Amino acid sequence: MSPIKTQIKHYVETVQQFSDVRVLVIGDVMLDAYLSCKAIGIADDAPVPLLEILDQSNTLGGAANVARNLAQLGVKTSLVGVIGKDSNGTLTKKLLKDSKVNFFPVESERPTTFKTRVMAGDHYYLRFDEENRSCINSTDARFLTNLIKNQVNKVDLIVASDYDKGIFSPTVVSQIEQMAQSNHLKILADLKPKNIFHWKTLDLITPNITEGILIQELFNSGKHANIEGLTIVKNLRTLLKCNVVLKMDRDGMLIAPLTEPVQHLDAFCHSPKDTSGAGDTVLSTLAAAIGQGSNLEQAAWLANLAASISVSKPGTYAVSCSELVKAVLQSEKLLLAD
């Protein structure tokens, strides 16, 4: 068997073994609504576009979308997060159940984070956000950490999905890290830059290039940071003492293992239809592959391939295990290009 065919066989077997992996996702649970509209002119009471609503669809967002992506890949997925005691929280629970995610919610007095996007054809008009971005109260925080404590001894790794909606206070982060260390679990994280200093023992972070620049500036007291990808990923690896996957949209991604040279992966899809949720796809596939035992380079290659499937579809899209296997089997030219 040729080296390329051996590599393809290995990747197929890796994806097929995702069903053996158990992942706990912790993070900001969101519900997204999309209003599909038709532009019919200008309103007669103000100089604004007049839109006719044709359809509304709802999908999981934030940490809930990360969990959905993992479950779609076949991973045994648990999710801990906060929702409100409202109709959006009820719908979120239903969508997670339908996605085969084991959801352990903190049902709070604060509202479920809810984002409504108004679309007309390919035109994105505006977005409404209904949310509370303050830190969760102490009662909710205790409930949250107790739920995490009940799950950490049942999983292979932890994924932290931070959308800055109040979950990851310094106290909660410290307890998550202590529980991870006690259970010998890696933590893979997609973090908002402002919360980066809460974390001390991350194994992997997956910022985009804008977030990478902001993290550097925070470490340098707001001073202008380097904007060149290779320098960013090296700086982040040194500053945070962890592995880094830097997402660069059409320029692919840079992979910086903690003790190995940086590698560049070209984007597989050069004409994306929609990049919504692609970062969640990357994080989920990395977690699935690392949980299965892949090294960072192998996991990143699969994540890059999964992202190429996701962005080739309209809307927020979760890639299935069978789709990823099919893509791997068709990837001989991509591997030859590597």
Side-chain angles (χ1 to χ4, degrees):
M1 186 179 293
S2 71
I4 293 297
K5 291 191 182 299
T6 300
Q7 200 170 357
I8 289 173
K9 181 174 182 290
H10 170 76
Y11 280 129
V12 168
E13 290 174 348
T14 296
V15 177
Q16 290 174 335
Q17 291 168 11
F18 282 173
S19 58
D20 296 331
V21 181
R22 304 165 301 167
V23 173
L24 172 62
V25 180
I26 306 166
D28 297 301
V29 172
M30 300 193 286
L31 180 66
D32 292 335
Y34 290 84
L35 294 181
S36 177
C37 303
K38 178 182 178 182
I40 58 176
I42 302 296
D44 56 12
D45 56 344
V48 295
L50 183 59
L51 305 176
E52 178 185 355
I53 297 175
L54 302 176
D55 188 33
Q56 176 174 337
S57 60
N58 296 287
T59 187
L60 297 165
N65 188 48
V66 175
R68 170 184 172 235
N69 272 266
L70 279 160
Q72 190 76 350
L73 288 169
V75 174
K76 297 178 179 68
T77 308
S78 300
L79 170 65
V80 173
V82 177
I83 56 172
K85 299 175 182 177
D86 49 29
S87 59
N88 289 330
T90 300
L91 179 55
T92 300
K93 287 191 289 186
K94 179 184 183 302
L95 292 174
L96 285 165
K97 183 178 180 181
D98 292 345
S99 299
K100 297 182 171 55
V101 173
N102 296 313
F103 184 33
F104 301 93
V106 177
E107 297 192 51
S108 175
E109 297 300 327
R110 55 197 276 151
T112 302
T113 300
F114 183 53
K115 299 179 181 293
T116 303
R117 293 171 175 84
V118 180
M119 317 286 295
D122 293 330
H123 189 77
Y124 184 175
Y125 274 88
L126 74 162
R127 190 180 85 187
F128 302 103
D129 290 0
E130 301 172 50
E131 60 186 16
N132 180 344
R133 297 177 60 187
S134 62
C135 285
I136 57 175
N137 63 41
S138 58
T139 300
D140 287 346
R142 283 194 297 272
F143 193 11
L144 180 83
T145 52
N146 283 334
L147 289 171
I148 296 168
K149 184 178 180 180
N150 291 337
Q151 297 303 314
V152 288
N153 62 346
K154 305 172 186 176
V155 299
D156 301 308
L157 59 80
I158 292 172
V159 168
S161 177
D162 178 8
Y163 281 80
D164 197 25
K165 309 302 179 190
I167 290 285
F168 294 110
S169 67
T171 300
V172 168
V173 167
S174 176
Q175 292 183 61
I176 291 171
E177 291 188 321
Q178 289 173 23
M179 286 185 274
Q181 288 178 322
S182 296
N183 289 274
H184 308 290
L185 300 177
K186 295 177 179 179
I187 303 175
L188 281 56
D190 195 351
L191 307 176
K192 289 300 181 186
K194 65 172 289 189
N195 296 328
I196 197 73
F197 293 114
H198 299 346
W199 299 86
K200 308 299 181 188
T201 58
L202 293 169
D203 186 77
L204 170 69
I205 60 167
T206 62
N208 59 39
I209 198 157
T210 300
E211 291 167 336
I213 292 169
L214 290 173
I215 292 170
Q216 289 181 113
E217 289 178 351
L218 288 170
F219 272 93
N220 288 286
S221 302
K223 294 179 182 178
H224 179 70
N226 194 289
I227 60 172
E228 196 275 322
L230 183 60
T231 304
I232 291 171
V233 78
K234 288 181 176 179
N235 286 345
L236 295 183
R237 178 175 62 181
T238 300
L239 291 167
L240 299 170
K241 297 180 176 58
C242 70
N243 303 290
V244 182
V245 171
L246 184 68
K247 300 170 294 191
M248 302 191 298
D249 296 323
R250 288 176 174 81
D251 292 325
M253 55 179 70
L254 286 169
I255 317 304
L258 194 55
T259 58
E260 296 175 26
V262 175
Q263 298 181 50
H264 177 247
L265 296 180
D266 287 323
F268 292 146
C269 180
H270 299 288
S271 300
K273 288 185 178 179
D274 194 331
T275 59
S276 302
D280 294 339
T281 299
V282 169
L283 178 60
S284 301
T285 312
L286 285 168
I290 290 171
Q292 187 276 335
S294 296
N295 63 32
L296 183 57
E297 178 186 359
Q298 295 165 337
W301 191 88
L302 284 170
N304 197 25
L305 187 60
S308 75
I309 300 170
S310 175
V311 300
S312 69
K313 310 287 185 180
T316 303
Y317 189 81
V319 179
S320 70
C321 179
S322 60
E323 284 178 300
L324 189 52
V325 167
K326 182 179 178 181
V328 171
L329 291 170
Q330 296 173 342
S331 67
E332 186 168 347
K333 290 182 180 178
L334 299 174
L335 289 168
L336 285 169
D338 290 346

